[in-house]
Amino acid sequence: MPFAIALLVLLVEFTPLHVLYTGPLLVATPALAAVTMGPKGTLAAAAVAVGVSVTTASYNGAWGSQQVYTNFLALFLVTAASFMTSRSARARQEGELDQVQRIATAAQDVLLRPVPVRLGPVRAASMYLAAETGAQIGGDLYDVVQTRYGVRMIVGDVRGKGLPAVRAAAVVLGAFRESAHYEDDLVEVVNHCGAALRRDAVVAGAAEGEDALLEGFVTALVAQIADGPRIDVINRGHPPPLLLSDGAVRPLMPTTPLPPLGLEEFVSGHPGRADSYPFAPGDRLLLYTDGVIEARDRDGTFFDLARAMVTMRDHSREAFLEDLHQALLRHTENRLADDAAILVVDRCEDEGLRPSGGPA
């Protein structure tokens, strides 16, 4: 708007309409710029206004008239006031944004707490990538806990965005963290997560309408590493984990496909039991959400996670996550379309699991 006004003044002054007095229009441009353009935009608008004033005064031979100098004085005063106001507003906005980001970081530390480096026979590391600039948390979730039944972990993805997705993620994580320590059957751990999500959906549906009850579900994968070189997995509609063993990567596909958490009415019969897969010392397991494998480049090509896992097979967990992060950004040209959570777990070669003990 400020620059459009400056252009309008030029059109008026260079046509027979120059008999109109355009000084107040130029004086208003810094004030308009201060509303949305910040301190630098305010100074830029003022510079344009001064340039137009000098040009039109020279073209019309108005130098020496009282109007020209009055316009310059008014322009200077309005510019100074607008600049100070804009800078104060910008500082206040930045302070509010910084406070919101600190709150979001604290919420992330509670919801997605750091994964312990060593738990029994495994070492783990995690990474969360938010698609939205400035965001800290979203609908993706993960956790790893040491229990008397073994190391148990979960990775999930909530349908939807925003605060309802964060709430659903908190519900599922809370149910997992509680039941993982008390249920010896991994199926019951998953059932507790689904029941907690359904209870919360009923409350949300009563408060927000029937749509909140119908739309909420979470794809999730729950795994357990107990005695022996194996891993038990229950997959509820989630992308299968990738296992790197002897330099080759293979997905751990479920024997019986199951619907996501929150859609238990589509489970026919008994939910069954966990699938078991070999997980020997030296193997690496990668659990992730669909934001990783659905990342696309300009041509619509999906990110090849299995290939990246083979290429970086000799990396440490931290280096692997960092290089994977950079590979994703290069593939998408810094435009992630969805949040991405990644959990990498290495089976150690020097120690077995203590079934009844705490973290090593």
Side-chain angles (χ1 to χ4, degrees), residues 48 57 67 183 197 329 344:
V48 170
Q67 284 184 341
E183 295 292 344
L197 186 64
L329 294 181
V344 57

Side-chain angles (χ1 to χ4, degrees), residues 5-15 17-27 47-65 67-69 71-72 75:
I5 291 177
L7 178 60
L8 176 63
V9 170
L10 285 175
L11 293 176
V12 170
E13 294 293 340
F14 290 154
T15 63
L17 294 175
H18 69 273
V19 293
L20 298 175
Y21 182 43
T22 59
L25 293 177
L26 290 176
V27 170
V48 170
V50 170
V52 171
S53 296
V54 171
T55 301
T56 56
S58 301
Y59 178 78
N60 295 320
W63 289 108
S65 65
Q67 284 184 341
V68 171
Y69 298 113
N71 288 341
F72 277 116
L75 185 59

Side-chain angles (χ1 to χ4, degrees), residues 2-195:
F3 302 107
I5 291 177
L7 178 60
L8 176 63
V9 170
L10 285 175
L11 293 176
V12 170
E13 294 293 340
F14 290 154
T15 63
L17 294 175
H18 69 273
V19 293
L20 298 175
Y21 182 43
T22 59
L25 293 177
L26 290 176
V27 170
T29 55
L32 292 174
V35 176
T36 58
M37 299 178 64
K40 292 183 179 180
T42 301
L43 293 179
V48 170
V50 170
V52 171
S53 296
V54 171
T55 301
T56 56
S58 301
Y59 178 78
N60 295 320
W63 289 108
S65 65
Q66 183 177 3
Q67 284 184 341
V68 171
Y69 298 113
T70 301
N71 288 341
F72 277 116
L73 178 61
L75 185 59
F76 172 77
L77 293 176
V78 172
T79 298
S82 299
F83 177 79
M84 295 173 61
T85 302
S86 178
R87 188 172 63 175
S88 176
R90 178 62 60 87
R92 183 173 62 253
Q93 292 173 356
E94 291 178 351
E96 293 174 352
L97 178 60
D98 183 63
Q99 182 180 11
V100 169
Q101 289 179 335
R102 289 198 304 269
I103 294 173
T105 300
Q108 183 186 36
D109 291 340
V110 174
L111 182 61
L112 299 178
R113 58 195 182 193
V115 172
V117 176
R118 182 68 183 260
L119 302 100
V122 301
R123 293 182 182 272
S126 62
M127 178 175 65
Y128 187 94
L129 303 176
E132 185 176 354
T133 303
Q136 297 289 334
I137 54 179
D140 290 2
L141 58 100
Y142 61 84
D143 200 6
V144 181
V145 296
Q146 171 90 57
T147 73
R148 53 182 171 175
Y149 310 109
V151 177
R152 288 177 167 177
M153 61 195 78
I154 184 173
V155 171
D157 188 359
V158 181
R159 181 195 182 279
K161 302 287 185 182
L163 290 179
V166 176
R167 172 178 170 174
V171 168
V172 173
L173 280 174
F176 170 79
R177 289 166 178 167
E178 180 70 17
S179 60
H181 291 280
Y182 298 103
E183 295 292 344
D184 60 345
D185 189 350
L186 195 62
V187 174
E188 290 303 318
V189 175
V190 177
N191 290 341
H192 273 283
C193 295

Side-chain angles (χ1 to χ4, degrees), residues 300-355:
T301 304
F302 290 109
F303 182 75
D304 193 342
L305 181 58
R307 180 180 178 182
M309 196 173 180
V310 172
T311 303
M312 297 180 283
R313 60 183 178 272
D314 296 328
H315 290 34
S316 66
R317 289 169 304 282
E318 293 75 14
F320 172 81
L321 289 177
E322 178 59 29
D323 289 349
L324 182 60
H325 180 196
Q326 297 302 322
L328 275 170
L329 294 181
R330 288 194 301 269
H331 184 77
T332 61
E333 297 182 359
N334 295 324
R335 296 192 307 269
L336 282 176
D338 194 8
D339 295 347
I342 304 169
L343 186 64
V344 57
V345 180
D346 290 344
R347 185 67 186 250
C348 303
E349 301 184 11
D350 57 348
E351 186 178 347
L353 183 65
R354 297 183 177 91

